[in-house]
Structure formats: C-alpha cells, structure tokens
C-alpha cells in the first residue's frame, strides 16, 4: 500500500491515499463506490454496443446517474465537514488563519474527487455514444 501511494504521489504530485483519508474515509469511500459503479456500467455499455438500443441506453443512463450520485455524496460530505469545522471554530473562539486555510483545503478534497467521478462518467457516456453511432452507421 505504501509503494502504491508513493508511486502515485510522484505521478500526481501528492499522496492519494493520504488525501483520501483526509477527505473523510466514509464519504470518500461512498464516492469511490460510485466511481466503481460508473466503471462497471461503462464496461456493460461497451459490451452492449452491438446489442439492443434499449439496453445500451439503460446502461448509459446508469453511468450518468452513478456519476451524479458520486458528486452529490461528495458535496454532502464536504458540507458535513464544514459544519463540524465551524462548530470547532465556534468552540475554540479565536483561531489562526493558517489553521482555517488548512481545514478549508481538506474540505475541498471530497468535492474534487466527486467532480473527477462526474467527469469520468460523462466522458465515458459521451465516448460510448460516439462509438454507438459509428457502429450503427457502419
């Protein structure tokens, strides 16, 4: 696990495993599950390119719905984190701006991951639509 996070950290410029945990393990796991569902239905839609139109459209809709669900879950996770952070700020009274900036940075990790899921899902849906049209026209 450490080797994976180190190698990916070099590629992306940060440690993905640490960012995943900082974003809130429960919420980020739900978004990850949505991402895996997007991949699953994208594979099913790819396999049904030559099949019936109804099955293809159903899989494409499921891709889009899972992607949107991932974004909504990530936004809910972010809002719950913000509420908890504001409760802590209220209880502490006076905090430093750097502490506040660090907390806001962590709060934005979940929506970022949700947006990546949405972009991947809609991109897969778009590519599958183009492939289906090319398949039907030929």
């Amino acid at each position: 696990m450490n080797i994976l996070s180190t190698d990916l950290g070099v590629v992306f410029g940060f440690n993905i495993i640490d960012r995943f945990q900082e974003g809130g393990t429960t919420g980020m796991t739900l978004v990850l599950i949505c991402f895996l569902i997007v991949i699953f239905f994208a594979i099913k839609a790819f396999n049904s390119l030559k099949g019936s139109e109804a099955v293809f459209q159903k899989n494409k809709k499921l891709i889009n719905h899972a992607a949107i669900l991932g974004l909504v879950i990530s936004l809910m996770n972010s809002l719950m984190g913000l509420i908890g952070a504001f409760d802590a700020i209220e209880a502490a009274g006076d905090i430093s701006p750097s502490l506040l900036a660090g907390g806001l940075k962590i709060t934005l990790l979940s929506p970022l991951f949700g947006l990546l899921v949405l972009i991947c899902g809609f991109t897969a849906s778009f590519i599958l639509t183009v492939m289906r049209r090319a398949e039907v026209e030929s």
Side-chain angles (χ1 to χ4, degrees), residues 79-113:
L79 290 174
M80 288 174 25
L82 277 174
I83 291 170
F86 289 139
D87 284 344
I89 291 170
E90 183 181 33
D94 190 28
I95 62 162
S96 68
S98 62
L99 186 64
L100 180 63
L104 290 175
K105 176 187 77 171
I106 289 173
T107 300
L108 294 175
L109 290 173
S110 183
L112 176 66
F113 190 48

Side-chain angles (χ1 to χ4, degrees), residues 8-22:
L8 290 174
V10 170
V11 172
F12 294 110
F14 58 86
N15 193 333
I16 289 178
I17 304 299
D18 289 343
R19 297 292 187 209
F20 187 87
Q21 291 172 343
E22 286 175 355

